[in-house]
Coordinates of all heavy atoms in Angstrom, one line a residue:
M1 N -13.4 31.1 -9.8 CA -12.9 29.8 -10.1 C -12.1 29.2 -8.9 O -11.2 29.9 -8.4 CB -12.0 29.9 -11.3 CG -11.9 28.5 -12.1 SD -13.4 28.0 -12.9 CE -13.0 28.4 -14.6
E2 N -12.4 28.1 -8.4 CA -11.7 27.5 -7.3 C -10.4 26.9 -7.7 O -10.3 26.1 -8.7 CB -12.6 26.5 -6.6 CG -12.2 26.3 -5.1 CD -13.0 25.2 -4.5 OE1 -14.2 25.0 -4.8 OE2 -12.4 24.5 -3.6
D3 N -9.3 27.2 -7.0 CA -8.0 26.6 -7.2 C -7.9 25.3 -6.4 O -7.9 25.4 -5.2 CB -6.9 27.6 -6.9 CG -5.6 27.1 -7.3 OD1 -5.5 26.0 -7.9 OD2 -4.6 27.8 -7.1
K4 N -7.8 24.2 -7.1 CA -7.7 22.9 -6.4 C -6.3 22.6 -6.0 O -6.1 21.6 -5.3 CB -8.3 21.8 -7.3 CG -9.8 21.8 -7.3 CD -10.3 20.6 -8.1 CE -10.2 20.9 -9.5 NZ -10.8 20.1 -10.5
K5 N -5.3 23.4 -6.3 CA -3.9 23.1 -6.0 C -3.8 23.3 -4.5 O -4.3 24.2 -3.8 CB -3.0 24.1 -6.7 CG -3.1 24.0 -8.2 CD -2.3 22.8 -8.7 CE -2.3 22.9 -10.3 NZ -1.8 21.6 -10.8
K6 N -3.0 22.3 -3.9 CA -2.9 22.3 -2.4 C -1.7 23.2 -2.0 O -1.7 23.6 -0.8 CB -2.6 20.9 -2.0 CG -3.9 20.1 -2.0 CD -3.6 18.8 -1.3 CE -4.9 18.0 -1.2 NZ -4.8 16.8 -0.4
G7 N -0.8 23.5 -2.8 CA 0.3 24.3 -2.3 C 1.0 25.0 -3.5 O 0.6 24.9 -4.6
P8 N 2.1 25.7 -3.1 CA 2.9 26.4 -4.2 C 3.5 25.4 -5.2 O 3.7 24.2 -4.9 CB 4.0 27.1 -3.4 CG 3.9 26.7 -2.0 CD 2.7 25.8 -1.8
P9 N 3.8 25.9 -6.4 CA 4.3 25.0 -7.4 C 5.6 24.2 -7.0 O 6.4 24.7 -6.1 CB 4.7 25.9 -8.6 CG 4.0 27.2 -8.2 CD 3.7 27.3 -6.8
I10 N 5.8 23.1 -7.7 CA 7.0 22.3 -7.4 C 8.0 22.7 -8.5 O 7.7 22.7 -9.7 CB 6.8 20.8 -7.6 CG1 5.5 20.4 -6.8 CG2 8.0 20.0 -7.2 CD1 5.7 20.5 -5.3
S11 N 9.2 23.1 -8.1 CA 10.3 23.4 -9.1 C 11.1 22.2 -9.3 O 11.6 21.6 -8.3 CB 11.1 24.6 -8.5 OG 12.4 24.6 -9.1
A12 N 11.4 21.8 -10.5 CA 12.1 20.6 -10.8 C 13.5 21.0 -11.4 O 13.5 21.8 -12.4 CB 11.3 19.7 -11.8
D13 N 14.5 20.5 -10.9 CA 15.9 20.7 -11.5 C 16.4 19.3 -12.0 O 16.9 18.5 -11.2 CB 16.8 21.2 -10.4 CG 18.2 21.5 -10.9 OD1 18.5 21.1 -12.0 OD2 19.0 22.1 -10.2
A14 N 16.1 19.1 -13.2 CA 16.4 17.8 -13.8 C 17.9 17.4 -13.8 O 18.3 16.3 -13.8 CB 15.9 17.7 -15.3
S15 N 18.8 18.5 -13.7 CA 20.2 18.2 -13.6 C 20.6 17.4 -12.3 O 21.7 16.8 -12.3 CB 21.0 19.5 -13.8 OG 20.9 20.3 -12.6
K16 N 19.8 17.5 -11.3 CA 20.1 16.8 -10.1 C 19.4 15.5 -10.0 O 19.6 14.7 -9.0 CB 19.6 17.7 -8.9 CG 20.4 18.9 -8.7 CD 19.9 19.7 -7.4 CE 20.7 20.9 -7.2 NZ 20.1 21.8 -6.1
C17 N 18.5 15.2 -10.9 CA 17.7 14.0 -10.8 C 18.5 12.7 -11.2 O 19.3 12.7 -12.1 CB 16.5 14.1 -11.8 SG 15.5 12.6 -11.9
A18 N 18.4 11.7 -10.3 CA 19.1 10.5 -10.5 C 18.3 9.3 -11.1 O 18.7 8.2 -11.2 CB 19.7 10.0 -9.2
G19 N 17.0 9.7 -11.3 CA 16.1 8.7 -11.9 C 15.7 7.6 -10.9 O 15.3 6.5 -11.4
C20 N 15.7 7.9 -9.6 CA 15.4 6.8 -8.7 C 13.9 6.5 -8.6 O 13.6 5.4 -8.1 CB 15.9 7.3 -7.3 SG 15.0 8.7 -6.6
L21 N 13.1 7.4 -9.0 CA 11.6 7.2 -9.1 C 11.0 7.2 -7.7 O 9.8 6.9 -7.6 CB 11.3 5.9 -9.8 CG 11.6 5.9 -11.3 CD1 11.1 4.6 -11.9 CD2 11.0 7.0 -12.0
V22 N 11.7 7.6 -6.7 CA 11.1 7.7 -5.3 C 9.9 8.6 -5.4 O 8.8 8.4 -4.8 CB 12.1 8.2 -4.3 CG1 11.4 8.6 -3.0 CG2 13.1 7.1 -4.0
C23 N 10.0 9.7 -6.1 CA 8.9 10.7 -6.2 C 7.7 10.1 -6.8 O 6.6 10.3 -6.3 CB 9.4 11.9 -7.0 SG 10.1 11.5 -8.7
A24 N 7.9 9.4 -7.9 CA 6.7 8.8 -8.6 C 6.1 7.7 -7.8 O 4.9 7.5 -7.8 CB 7.2 8.3 -10.0
L25 N 6.9 6.9 -7.1 CA 6.4 5.9 -6.3 C 5.5 6.5 -5.1 O 4.4 6.0 -4.8 CB 7.5 5.0 -5.7 CG 8.3 4.2 -6.7 CD1 9.5 3.6 -6.1 CD2 7.4 3.1 -7.3
R26 N 6.0 7.5 -4.5 CA 5.3 8.1 -3.4 C 4.0 8.8 -3.9 O 3.0 8.7 -3.3 CB 6.2 9.2 -2.8 CG 5.6 9.8 -1.5 CD 5.4 8.7 -0.5 NE 4.6 9.1 0.7 CZ 3.3 9.1 0.7 NH1 2.6 8.8 -0.3 NH2 2.7 9.5 1.8
C27 N 4.1 9.4 -5.1 CA 2.9 10.0 -5.7 C 1.8 9.0 -6.0 O 0.7 9.2 -5.7 CB 3.3 10.8 -6.9 SG 1.9 11.7 -7.6
S28 N 2.2 7.9 -6.6 CA 1.2 6.9 -7.0 C 0.7 6.2 -5.8 O -0.5 5.8 -5.8 CB 1.8 5.8 -8.0 OG 2.8 5.0 -7.3
L29 N 1.5 6.1 -4.7 CA 0.9 5.5 -3.5 C -0.2 6.4 -3.0 O -1.2 5.9 -2.5 CB 2.1 5.4 -2.5 CG 1.6 4.8 -1.1 CD1 1.3 3.3 -1.3 CD2 2.8 4.9 -0.1
R30 N 0.0 7.7 -3.1 CA -1.0 8.6 -2.6 C -2.3 8.5 -3.4 O -3.4 8.4 -2.8 CB -0.5 10.0 -2.6 CG -1.5 11.1 -2.3 CD -1.1 12.5 -2.5 NE -2.2 13.3 -2.5 CZ -2.4 14.4 -3.3 NH1 -1.5 14.7 -4.1 NH2 -3.5 15.1 -3.2
F31 N -2.2 8.5 -4.7 CA -3.4 8.5 -5.6 C -4.0 7.1 -5.7 O -5.2 7.0 -5.8 CB -3.0 9.0 -6.9 CG -2.9 10.5 -7.0 CD1 -1.7 11.1 -7.2 CD2 -4.0 11.3 -6.8 CE1 -1.6 12.5 -7.3 CE2 -4.0 12.7 -6.8 CZ -2.7 13.3 -7.1
E32 N -3.1 6.1 -5.9 CA -3.7 4.8 -6.3 C -3.4 3.7 -5.2 O -3.8 2.5 -5.4 CB -3.0 4.3 -7.6 CG -3.0 5.3 -8.7 CD -4.4 5.6 -9.2 OE1 -5.3 4.7 -9.0 OE2 -4.6 6.7 -9.8
K33 N -2.8 4.1 -4.1 CA -2.5 3.1 -3.1 C -1.6 1.9 -3.6 O -1.7 0.8 -3.2 CB -3.8 2.5 -2.4 CG -4.7 3.5 -1.8 CD -4.2 3.9 -0.4 CE -5.1 4.9 0.2 NZ -4.8 6.3 -0.2
E34 N -0.8 2.3 -4.6 CA 0.1 1.2 -5.1 C 1.4 1.9 -5.6 O 1.4 3.1 -5.9 CB -0.5 0.4 -6.2 CG -0.9 1.2 -7.4 CD -1.4 0.3 -8.5 OE1 -0.6 -0.3 -9.2 OE2 -2.6 0.3 -8.7
F35 N 2.5 1.2 -5.6 CA 3.7 1.7 -6.2 C 3.8 1.5 -7.7 O 4.1 0.4 -8.1 CB 4.9 1.0 -5.5 CG 5.1 1.4 -4.1 CD1 5.1 0.5 -3.1 CD2 5.3 2.8 -3.7 CE1 5.3 0.9 -1.7 CE2 5.5 3.2 -2.4 CZ 5.5 2.2 -1.4
N36 N 3.4 2.5 -8.4 CA 3.4 2.3 -9.9 C 3.6 3.7 -10.5 O 2.7 4.5 -10.6 CB 2.0 1.8 -10.3 CG 1.9 1.5 -11.8 OD1 2.8 2.0 -12.5 ND2 0.9 0.8 -12.2
P37 N 4.9 3.9 -10.9 CA 5.3 5.2 -11.5 C 4.4 5.6 -12.7 O 4.2 6.8 -12.9 CB 6.7 5.0 -11.9 CG 7.2 3.9 -11.1 CD 6.0 3.0 -10.8
A38 N 3.8 4.7 -13.4 CA 3.0 5.0 -14.5 C 1.7 5.7 -14.1 O 1.0 6.3 -14.9 CB 2.7 3.7 -15.3
K39 N 1.3 5.6 -12.8 CA 0.1 6.2 -12.4 C 0.3 7.4 -11.5 O -0.6 7.9 -10.9 CB -0.7 5.1 -11.5 CG -1.2 4.0 -12.4 CD -2.1 3.1 -11.6 CE -2.6 2.0 -12.4 NZ -3.4 1.0 -11.7
A40 N 1.6 7.9 -11.5 CA 1.9 9.1 -10.7 C 1.6 10.3 -11.5 O 1.5 10.3 -12.8 CB 3.4 9.0 -10.4
A41 N 1.5 11.4 -10.8 CA 1.3 12.7 -11.5 C 2.6 13.4 -11.8 O 2.6 14.5 -12.4 CB 0.5 13.6 -10.5
I42 N 3.7 12.7 -11.5 CA 5.0 13.2 -11.9 C 5.6 12.1 -12.8 O 5.5 10.9 -12.6 CB 5.9 13.5 -10.7 CG1 7.3 14.0 -11.1 CG2 6.2 12.2 -9.8 CD1 8.1 14.6 -10.0
R43 N 6.3 12.6 -13.9 CA 6.8 11.6 -14.9 C 8.3 11.9 -15.0 O 8.8 13.0 -15.1 CB 6.2 11.9 -16.2 CG 4.7 11.5 -16.3 CD 4.6 10.0 -16.4 NE 3.3 9.6 -15.7 CZ 2.1 9.5 -16.3 NH1 2.0 9.9 -17.5 NH2 1.1 9.1 -15.6
I44 N 9.1 10.8 -14.8 CA 10.5 10.9 -15.0 C 10.9 10.1 -16.2 O 10.6 8.9 -16.3 CB 11.2 10.2 -13.7 CG1 10.7 10.8 -12.4 CG2 12.8 10.4 -13.9 CD1 11.0 12.3 -12.2
R45 N 11.5 10.7 -17.2 CA 11.9 10.1 -18.4 C 13.3 10.2 -18.6 O 13.9 11.3 -18.5 CB 11.1 10.7 -19.6 CG 10.0 9.9 -20.1 CD 9.4 10.6 -21.3 NE 9.0 11.9 -21.0 CZ 7.7 12.3 -20.9 NH1 6.8 11.4 -21.1 NH2 7.4 13.5 -20.6
R46 N 14.0 9.1 -18.9 CA 15.4 9.1 -19.3 C 15.5 9.6 -20.7 O 14.8 9.2 -21.6 CB 16.0 7.7 -19.1 CG 17.5 7.8 -19.3 CD 18.1 6.7 -18.5 NE 17.7 5.4 -19.0 CZ 18.4 4.4 -19.5 NH1 19.7 4.7 -19.6 NH2 17.9 3.3 -19.9
L47 N 16.4 10.6 -20.9 CA 16.6 11.1 -22.2 C 17.3 10.1 -23.1 O 18.2 9.4 -22.7 CB 17.5 12.4 -22.1 CG 16.9 13.6 -21.3 CD1 17.8 14.8 -21.4 CD2 15.5 13.9 -21.8
V48 N 16.7 10.0 -24.3 CA 17.2 9.1 -25.3 C 18.7 9.4 -25.6 O 19.1 10.5 -25.8 CB 16.4 9.2 -26.6 CG1 17.0 8.2 -27.6 CG2 15.0 8.8 -26.3
G49 N 19.5 8.4 -25.5 CA 20.9 8.5 -25.8 C 21.8 9.0 -24.7 O 23.0 9.1 -24.8
A50 N 21.1 9.3 -23.5 CA 21.9 9.7 -22.4 C 21.8 8.7 -21.3 O 20.8 8.0 -21.1 CB 21.3 11.0 -21.8
E51 N 22.9 8.5 -20.6 CA 22.9 7.5 -19.6 C 22.2 7.9 -18.3 O 21.5 7.2 -17.7 CB 24.4 7.0 -19.3 CG 24.5 5.5 -19.2 CD 25.9 5.1 -19.1 OE1 26.6 5.0 -20.2 OE2 26.4 5.0 -18.0
N52 N 22.5 9.1 -17.9 CA 22.0 9.6 -16.6 C 21.4 11.0 -16.7 O 21.6 11.8 -15.8 CB 23.2 9.6 -15.6 CG 23.2 8.3 -14.8 OD1 22.2 7.8 -14.4 ND2 24.4 7.8 -14.6
E53 N 20.7 11.2 -17.7 CA 20.0 12.5 -17.8 C 18.5 12.2 -17.9 O 18.1 11.4 -18.7 CB 20.5 13.3 -19.0 CG 21.9 13.8 -18.8 CD 22.4 14.6 -20.0 OE1 21.7 15.4 -20.6 OE2 23.5 14.2 -20.5
Y54 N 17.8 13.0 -17.2 CA 16.3 12.8 -17.1 C 15.5 14.0 -17.4 O 16.0 15.1 -17.2 CB 16.0 12.2 -15.7 CG 16.7 10.9 -15.4 CD1 17.9 10.9 -14.8 CD2 16.1 9.7 -15.8 CE1 18.6 9.7 -14.6 CE2 16.7 8.5 -15.5 CZ 18.0 8.5 -14.9 OH 18.7 7.4 -14.7
E55 N 14.3 13.8 -17.7 CA 13.4 14.9 -17.9 C 12.2 14.7 -16.9 O 11.8 13.6 -16.7 CB 12.8 14.8 -19.3 CG 11.8 15.9 -19.7 CD 11.2 15.6 -21.1 OE1 10.3 14.8 -21.1 OE2 11.7 16.2 -22.1
I56 N 11.9 15.8 -16.2 CA 10.8 15.7 -15.2 C 9.6 16.5 -15.7 O 9.8 17.7 -16.1 CB 11.4 16.3 -13.9 CG1 12.6 15.6 -13.4 CG2 10.3 16.2 -12.8 CD1 13.3 16.3 -12.2
S57 N 8.5 15.9 -15.6 CA 7.3 16.7 -15.9 C 6.1 16.2 -15.0 O 6.2 15.2 -14.3 CB 6.9 16.5 -17.4 OG 6.6 15.1 -17.6
F58 N 5.1 17.0 -15.0 CA 3.9 16.8 -14.2 C 2.7 16.7 -15.0 O 2.6 17.4 -16.0 CB 3.8 17.9 -13.1 CG 4.9 18.1 -12.2 CD1 6.0 18.9 -12.6 CD2 5.0 17.4 -11.0 CE1 7.1 19.0 -11.7 CE2 6.1 17.5 -10.2 CZ 7.2 18.3 -10.5
T59 N 1.8 15.8 -14.6 CA 0.5 15.7 -15.4 C -0.5 16.7 -14.8 O -0.3 17.3 -13.7 CB -0.1 14.3 -15.3 OG1 -0.6 14.0 -14.0 CG2 1.0 13.3 -15.7
E60 N -1.7 16.8 -15.4 CA -2.8 17.6 -14.9 C -3.2 17.2 -13.5 O -3.7 18.0 -12.8 CB -4.0 17.4 -15.8 CG -3.8 18.2 -17.2 CD -3.9 19.6 -17.0 OE1 -5.0 20.1 -16.5 OE2 -3.0 20.4 -17.2
K61 N -3.0 15.9 -13.2 CA -3.4 15.4 -11.9 C -2.7 16.0 -10.7 O -3.2 16.0 -9.6 CB -3.2 13.9 -11.9 CG -4.0 13.2 -10.8 CD -4.1 11.7 -11.2 CE -2.8 10.9 -10.9 NZ -3.0 9.4 -10.9
C62 N -1.5 16.5 -11.0 CA -0.7 17.1 -9.9 C -1.4 18.3 -9.2 O -1.8 19.2 -9.9 CB 0.7 17.5 -10.4 SG 1.7 18.3 -9.1
D63 N -1.5 18.2 -7.9 CA -2.1 19.3 -7.2 C -1.2 20.0 -6.2 O -1.6 20.7 -5.3 CB -3.4 18.9 -6.4 CG -3.1 17.8 -5.4 OD1 -1.9 17.5 -5.2 OD2 -4.0 17.3 -4.7
N64 N 0.1 19.8 -6.5 CA 1.2 20.5 -5.7 C 1.1 20.1 -4.2 O 1.3 21.0 -3.4 CB 1.1 22.0 -5.8 CG 1.4 22.5 -7.3 OD1 1.9 21.7 -8.1 ND2 1.0 23.7 -7.6
C65 N 0.8 18.9 -3.9 CA 0.7 18.5 -2.5 C 2.1 18.5 -1.8 O 2.2 18.6 -0.6 CB 0.1 17.1 -2.4 SG 1.2 15.8 -2.9
G66 N 3.2 18.4 -2.6 CA 4.5 18.5 -2.1 C 5.2 17.2 -1.6 O 6.3 17.3 -1.2
L67 N 4.4 16.1 -1.7 CA 5.0 14.9 -1.2 C 6.3 14.5 -1.9 O 7.3 14.1 -1.4 CB 4.0 13.7 -1.3 CG 3.0 13.6 -0.2 CD1 2.0 12.5 -0.6 CD2 3.7 13.2 1.1
C68 N 6.2 14.6 -3.3 CA 7.4 14.2 -4.1 C 8.6 15.0 -3.7 O 9.7 14.5 -3.6 CB 7.1 14.3 -5.6 SG 6.5 16.0 -6.0
A69 N 8.4 16.3 -3.5 CA 9.5 17.2 -3.2 C 10.1 16.8 -1.8 O 11.3 16.8 -1.6 CB 9.1 18.7 -3.2
R70 N 9.2 16.4 -0.9 CA 9.7 16.1 0.5 C 10.5 14.8 0.4 O 11.3 14.6 1.3 CB 8.5 15.9 1.4 CG 8.5 17.0 2.5 CD 7.3 16.8 3.4 NE 6.1 17.4 2.8 CZ 4.9 16.9 3.0 NH1 4.7 15.9 3.8 NH2 3.8 17.5 2.4
H71 N 10.2 13.9 -0.5 CA 10.9 12.6 -0.5 C 12.0 12.5 -1.5 O 12.7 11.5 -1.5 CB 9.8 11.5 -0.8 CG 8.9 11.4 0.4 ND1 9.2 10.6 1.5 CD2 7.7 11.9 0.7 CE1 8.2 10.6 2.4 NE2 7.3 11.5 1.9
C72 N 12.2 13.4 -2.4 CA 13.3 13.3 -3.3 C 14.6 13.4 -2.6 O 15.0 14.3 -1.9 CB 13.3 14.5 -4.4 SG 14.7 14.5 -5.4
P73 N 15.4 12.3 -2.7 CA 16.7 12.2 -1.9 C 17.8 13.1 -2.5 O 18.8 13.2 -1.9 CB 17.1 10.7 -2.0 CG 16.0 10.0 -2.8 CD 15.2 11.1 -3.5
Y74 N 17.6 13.6 -3.7 CA 18.7 14.3 -4.4 C 18.4 15.8 -4.6 O 19.2 16.5 -5.2 CB 18.9 13.7 -5.8 CG 19.4 12.3 -5.7 CD1 18.5 11.2 -5.7 CD2 20.7 12.0 -5.5 CE1 18.9 9.9 -5.6 CE2 21.1 10.7 -5.3 CZ 20.2 9.6 -5.4 OH 20.7 8.3 -5.2
G75 N 17.4 16.3 -4.0 CA 17.1 17.8 -4.0 C 16.8 18.3 -5.4 O 16.9 19.4 -5.7
A76 N 16.2 17.3 -6.2 CA 15.9 17.8 -7.6 C 14.5 18.4 -7.6 O 14.1 19.1 -8.6 CB 15.9 16.5 -8.5
L77 N 13.7 18.2 -6.6 CA 12.4 18.8 -6.5 C 12.3 19.7 -5.3 O 12.6 19.3 -4.2 CB 11.3 17.7 -6.4 CG 11.3 16.6 -7.5 CD1 10.4 15.5 -7.1 CD2 10.9 17.3 -8.8
I78 N 11.9 20.9 -5.5 CA 11.7 21.9 -4.4 C 10.3 22.5 -4.5 O 9.9 22.9 -5.6 CB 12.8 23.0 -4.5 CG1 14.2 22.4 -4.6 CG2 12.6 24.0 -3.4 CD1 14.8 21.9 -3.3
Q79 N 9.6 22.5 -3.4 CA 8.3 23.2 -3.4 C 8.6 24.7 -3.1 O 9.1 25.0 -2.1 CB 7.4 22.6 -2.4 CG 6.0 23.2 -2.5 CD 4.9 22.4 -1.9 OE1 5.1 21.7 -1.0 NE2 3.7 22.4 -2.5
L80 N 8.3 25.5 -4.1 CA 8.6 26.9 -4.0 C 7.8 27.5 -2.8 O 6.7 27.1 -2.5 CB 8.2 27.6 -5.3 CG 8.9 27.1 -6.5 CD1 8.3 27.8 -7.8 CD2 10.4 27.4 -6.4
G81 N 8.5 28.4 -2.2 CA 7.8 29.1 -1.0 C 7.9 28.4 0.3 O 7.5 28.9 1.3
K82 N 8.5 27.2 0.2 CA 8.7 26.4 1.5 C 10.2 26.4 1.8 O 11.0 26.0 1.0 CB 8.2 25.0 1.3 CG 6.8 24.8 1.0 CD 6.1 24.0 2.1 CE 4.6 24.3 2.0 NZ 3.8 23.1 2.4
A83 N 10.5 26.9 3.0 CA 11.9 27.0 3.3 C 12.4 25.6 3.6 O 11.7 24.7 4.0 CB 12.0 27.8 4.6
A84 N 13.7 25.4 3.2 CA 14.3 24.1 3.4 C 14.5 23.8 4.9 O 14.8 24.8 5.6 CB 15.7 24.1 2.7
A85 N 14.2 22.6 5.2 CA 14.3 22.3 6.7 C 15.7 22.2 7.1 O 16.6 21.8 6.3 CB 13.5 21.0 6.9
Ligands
SF4_1 S1 3.2 17.5 -5.9 FE1 2.0 15.7 -5.1 S2 0.5 15.3 -6.8 FE2 2.2 16.5 -7.7 S3 3.6 15.1 -8.5 FE3 4.3 15.6 -6.4 S4 3.4 14.0 -5.1 FE4 2.3 14.0 -7.1
SF4_2 S1 13.0 11.4 -6.4 FE1 14.2 13.1 -7.2 S2 16.1 12.1 -8.0 FE2 14.5 10.5 -7.7 S3 13.5 10.4 -9.8 FE3 12.3 11.8 -8.5 S4 13.1 13.8 -9.0 FE4 14.6 12.3 -9.7

């Protein structure tokens, strides 16, 4: 069985997430050539009843390309196995 994943898994630390959506915008730009978080392979959801708490998840479409992790300004996404620059 061929593994279509491009890289090591992305580790998400939701406690560091600020909900900026940079990751989702970058991901949707890659897949759809547009800035549309609804079309990204990463989903950022604000927790109900919380002002600044988020839940991070990935859809089946995610192939661990690492773009979102590279662009997250808050260090909430880390691609495992890649040393921090
Ligand atoms: S690793 Fe790539 S495909 Fe997966 S959510 Fe991040 S940018 Fe999108
Ligand atoms: S780029 Fe980072 S801080 Fe911004 S929404 Fe995505 S995971 Fe959260």
